[in-house]
Amino acid sequence: MTTVSLGAGPANARDPLSLIFAALADPTRRAMLTRLRQGPATVSEIGEPFAMTGPAVSKHLRVLERAGLVTRGRVAQARPATLRAQPMQQVAEWAEEFREFWDQRYDRLDDYLHTMSDDPEDQS
Amino acid sequence: MTTVSLGAGPANARDPLSLIFAALADPTRRAMLTRLRQGPATVSEIGEPFAMTGPAVSKHLRVLERAGLVTRGRVAQARPATLRAQPMQQVAEWAEEFREFWDQRYDRLDDYLHTMSDDPEDQS
């Protein structure tokens, strides 16, 4: 496998955790999930604070739904969206596995600054 | 703003947390970060378990670097990659804000099953 996916591959070819991370890689979708913490909402309710069209909201909701972060109601007209936060637990648990390394961040910052000081002419 | 980004937009136009989530939305990149928990590694060391070419590894590393998840050394030949886990803390903290909802998951599953039972002819 020598190809490199930058997150633009076909969504149905991807593993669950990749689908979740890709769904969260958008500030509007993250804001929608935060909105849904207040309770289920319809497409027009969700779109309002973003001044977004219904089709644009629906497209974002489909991405969230595919990742398991949202379920939609069955009533044809409204189909209110409901938060499903269980995938968030997977995200948190995956990130938590790196906790020992983020706790070491000051040591690592020291290392990094030391590396930089080896090259005093660096302009960036 | 009515456009919908599915994670394929120009990386430099994106906010830090979106860059981090997009970088994590690939199983190979997540496996690379797990590998780097053992310590800094060169491109060829990182590529070995994936049978991946150097350029493909470098491309993945650039995505991780842009998200702040990896730093590269300065030595031209080797440029060993080092894990920087601080962005992972942001990911964990963001996901943790949803903890109260994933703790309620059985209630919500009940709600969901109740919704489904309203429509007994559903085939899926």
Side-chain angles (χ1 to χ4, degrees):
Chain A
M1 175 79 155
T2 56
T3 57
V4 170
S5 163
L6 299 179
N12 53 6
R14 300 170 75 184
D15 62 291
L17 197 51
S18 295
L19 279 177
I20 295 163
F21 279 123
L24 297 177
D26 181 281
T28 304
R29 285 196 291 271
R30 292 197 302 278
M32 285 177 170
L33 292 170
T34 299
R35 160 68 186 82
L36 290 174
R37 277 149 61 173
Q38 295 167 35
T42 62
V43 165
S44 55
E45 285 166 346
I46 293 169
E48 211 191 333
F50 307 102
M52 234 164 70
T53 64
V57 173
S58 296
K59 209 164 168 181
H60 278 307
L61 284 177
R62 273 197 297 279
V63 178
L64 292 170
E65 217 177 347
R66 216 154 47 209
L69 287 158
V70 149
T71 53
R72 302 291 302 276
R74 302 262 165 159
V75 183
Q77 246 76 38
R79 299 199 68 216
T82 303
L83 178 65
R84 280 197 64 217
Q86 216 186 332
M88 230 65 107
Q89 183 173 14
Q90 285 174 259
V91 166
E93 282 173 358
W94 190 84
E96 283 290 338
E97 285 177 31
F98 290 83
R99 175 178 286 278
E100 61 176 306
F101 296 95
W102 80 59
D103 284 344
Q104 290 168 7
R105 66 185 179 274
Y106 295 110
D107 301 346
R108 285 173 184 268
L109 182 62
D110 278 349
D111 290 350
Y112 180 64
L113 292 175
H114 185 260
T115 310
M116 290 189 66
S117 69
D118 289 347
D119 185 1
E121 281 158 5
D122 185 78
Q123 298 289 325
S124 68
Chain B
M1 175 81 154
T2 55
T3 56
V4 170
S5 163
L6 298 178
N12 54 6
R14 298 169 76 184
D15 63 290
L17 197 51
S18 295
L19 279 178
I20 296 164
F21 279 123
L24 298 177
D26 181 280
T28 304
R29 286 198 289 272
R30 292 197 303 277
M32 284 178 171
L33 292 170
T34 299
R35 159 68 185 83
L36 289 174
R37 275 149 62 174
Q38 296 166 35
T42 62
V43 164
S44 56
E45 285 166 347
I46 292 168
E48 210 191 333
F50 307 101
M52 235 165 67
T53 63
V57 173
S58 296
K59 210 164 168 181
H60 278 308
L61 283 177
R62 274 197 296 279
V63 178
L64 293 171
E65 217 177 347
R66 218 154 46 210
L69 288 158
V70 149
T71 53
R72 302 289 302 275
R74 301 257 166 162
V75 183
Q77 246 77 37
R79 301 199 65 218
T82 303
L83 178 65
R84 280 197 63 217
Q86 216 186 333
M88 230 67 108
Q89 184 174 13
Q90 286 174 259
V91 166
E93 283 172 359
W94 190 84
E96 282 291 336
E97 285 177 31
F98 291 82
R99 174 179 287 277
E100 61 177 305
F101 297 95
W102 78 60
D103 285 344
Q104 291 168 6
R105 64 186 180 271
Y106 295 111
D107 300 348
R108 284 173 184 268
L109 183 61
D110 277 351
D111 290 350
Y112 180 65
L113 292 175
H114 184 259
T115 309
M116 289 189 65
S117 69
D118 290 347
D119 185 2
E121 278 159 5
D122 184 75
Q123 298 292 323
S124 66

